[in-house]
Amino acid sequence: ADAPLPAEDVACDDPAERDGIDKIRLEAQLRDALESGTLEVRYQPIYDIRDGHVASYEALVRWNLPGRGPVSPAEFIKLAEETSLIVPVGEYVLERVLDVLVGLRDGGAERLPGIAVNLSARQLLEPGMARQIVGRVQRAQLPAGVLKLEVTESRMLDYAPVHAVMRHCREHGVPFALDDFGTGYSNLTHLHRLDFEFVKVDQAFARHMFDSPRAMAIVEAVVGMAHGIGADVVCEGVETRAQLQRLRELGVRYAQGYLIGQAAPAAEVLSGEAARLGV
Ligand code: C2E
Ligand code: CA
Ligand code: CA
Ligand code: CA
């Protein structure tokens, strides 16, 4: 165990340092991807349990790094948040989503599907962010409620500025979902202090409804609570018919998960939508 390490390993024997180098390289590659437009946005359907149709989509960013393969958003979104890259990543996704919606509208769609874009609290608090989002939605002349925002990571939330940003967006027809409710920093205080149209129950709960009575009890309680404050519930991670049926019985409005569909490229979503809407 005490044998000397080969020279090339000695050169980088500090894991923290190696980590730092990897991050710097990945950051540079992400910057390139943004510039060359190689980030992809995929769309996962969100199903309206009540009327049995796909009501909207969640935009999920994808990065396929040449020579390395797909980089998980969990990894590069975290990296982007640690740097300032999360701002251009967010703008990139928003632009793509607005393009899709405008494309559908200009293609003659009578009713546009909603599309939800993920935003971290950090992005939301970026100066001028709310004005920029509202400005883009207005310029695109989209109907109210079509673009939705999902608030993710929200560590050190300073409620007053978040509240102001959310109010401004909402007044201009952009509703909010509280994402990953029940895990991490997505907590009851957010529901208490801020006004969300949707509560997205973290996928861990729906996924374990039938193997954990506790998960089932939590889903039931969250549904009651969300309805009590006038929010609709979206359950993520729905993978089986039994889960969907139980959610229906509980009065959950929306379901998202592999049972309904995985995230797909815009072209597929667009052609599906066009067919569905009789375009
Ligand atoms: P999220 O917002 O909670 O997104 C849901 C994640 O769960 C997605 O992973 C989706 O592919 C996955 N998922 C959906 N249905 C199921 C299911 O039935 N079973 C299982 N096992 N998984 C399912 P993905 O695309 O890897 O995204 C991971 C996270 O990265 C997202 O979690 C979100 O927090 C973040 N993210 C993705 N795109 C963006 C973005 O454009 N901006 C920001 N700020 N964050 C993003
Ligand atoms: Ca989300
Ligand atoms: Ca989520
Ligand atoms: Ca989600």
Side-chain angles (χ1 to χ4, degrees):
D2 286 312
L5 291 164
E8 60 269 31
D9 286 345
V10 173
C12 200
D13 63 351
D14 174 359
E17 189 183 321
R18 192 171 49 226
D19 228 49
I21 294 167
D22 282 353
K23 268 190 189 165
I24 291 166
R25 187 184 302 140
L26 203 60
E27 189 189 335
Q29 287 165 327
L30 181 55
R31 216 178 282 279
D32 284 349
L34 276 166
E35 273 163 23
S36 59
T38 49
L39 285 186
E40 200 198 337
V41 180
R42 295 207 165 196
Y43 298 86
Q44 186 177 31
I46 300 173
Y47 180 79
D48 185 329
I49 300 177
R50 241 182 265 173
D51 75 6
H53 286 99
V54 170
S56 55
Y57 296 84
E58 177 177 3
L60 293 163
V61 69
R62 288 284 175 272
W63 183 21
N64 198 5
L65 183 56
R68 184 184 148 166
V71 187
S72 130
E75 182 181 350
F76 73 86
I77 291 294
K78 188 164 156 282
L79 173 79
E81 270 171 0
E82 289 166 4
T83 64
S84 53
L85 282 178
I86 193 66
V87 176
V89 169
E91 284 169 2
Y92 184 96
V93 175
L94 188 63
E95 279 305 310
R96 292 299 166 289
V97 165
L98 291 176
D99 284 351
V100 165
L101 287 168
V102 166
L104 277 171
R105 192 215 33 223
D106 292 351
E110 278 165 36
R111 192 165 57 84
L112 293 173
I115 301 185
V117 168
N118 287 285
L119 279 188
S120 64
R122 153 110 206 254
Q123 283 173 278
L124 203 58
L125 291 178
E126 203 60 38
M129 186 52 126
R131 236 176 309 123
Q132 210 182 99
I133 293 171
V134 164
R136 284 180 189 194
V137 171
Q138 284 180 332
R139 243 171 292 134
Q141 294 186 295
L142 293 168
V146 161
L147 179 79
K148 303 169 202 288
L149 298 175
E150 296 190 4
V151 185
T152 51
E153 179 265 310
S154 13
R155 231 148 292 186
M156 298 147 293
L157 261 194
D158 194 358
Y159 287 102
V162 174
H163 188 267
V165 166
M166 285 179 61
R167 197 184 50 210
H168 182 73
C169 289
R170 186 178 301 105
E171 277 169 6
H172 291 86
V174 180
F176 281 83
L178 177 59
D179 205 357
D180 301 336
F181 184 69
T183 61
Y185 297 89
S186 187
N187 63 39
L188 287 175
T189 308
H190 294 5
L191 283 189
H192 176 209
R193 301 287 297 276
L194 302 168
D195 194 3
F196 289 97
E197 278 78 8
F198 306 95
V199 174
K200 297 194 81 170
V201 180
D202 190 78
Q203 47 179 284
F205 301 109
R207 189 126 45 86
H208 294 292
M209 281 174 91
F210 289 106
D211 47 69
S212 160
R214 288 192 299 236
M216 183 72 89
I218 288 167
V219 172
E220 290 170 6
V222 171
V223 171
M225 204 167 57
H227 290 166
I229 61 168
D232 272 323
V233 173
V234 185
C235 271
E236 298 187 271
V238 177
E239 295 182 349
T240 70
R241 297 211 157 269
Q243 289 164 348
L244 185 67
Q245 181 51 34
R246 184 73 187 114
L247 294 174
R248 180 180 284 122
E249 289 161 10
L250 292 175
V252 170
R253 181 77 192 263
Y254 301 103
Q256 183 179 357
Y258 295 161
L259 176 70
I260 290 119
Q262 302 217 8
E268 281 171 40
V269 171
L270 275 169
S271 60
E273 277 299 325
R276 191 171 73 82
L277 297 164
V279 176

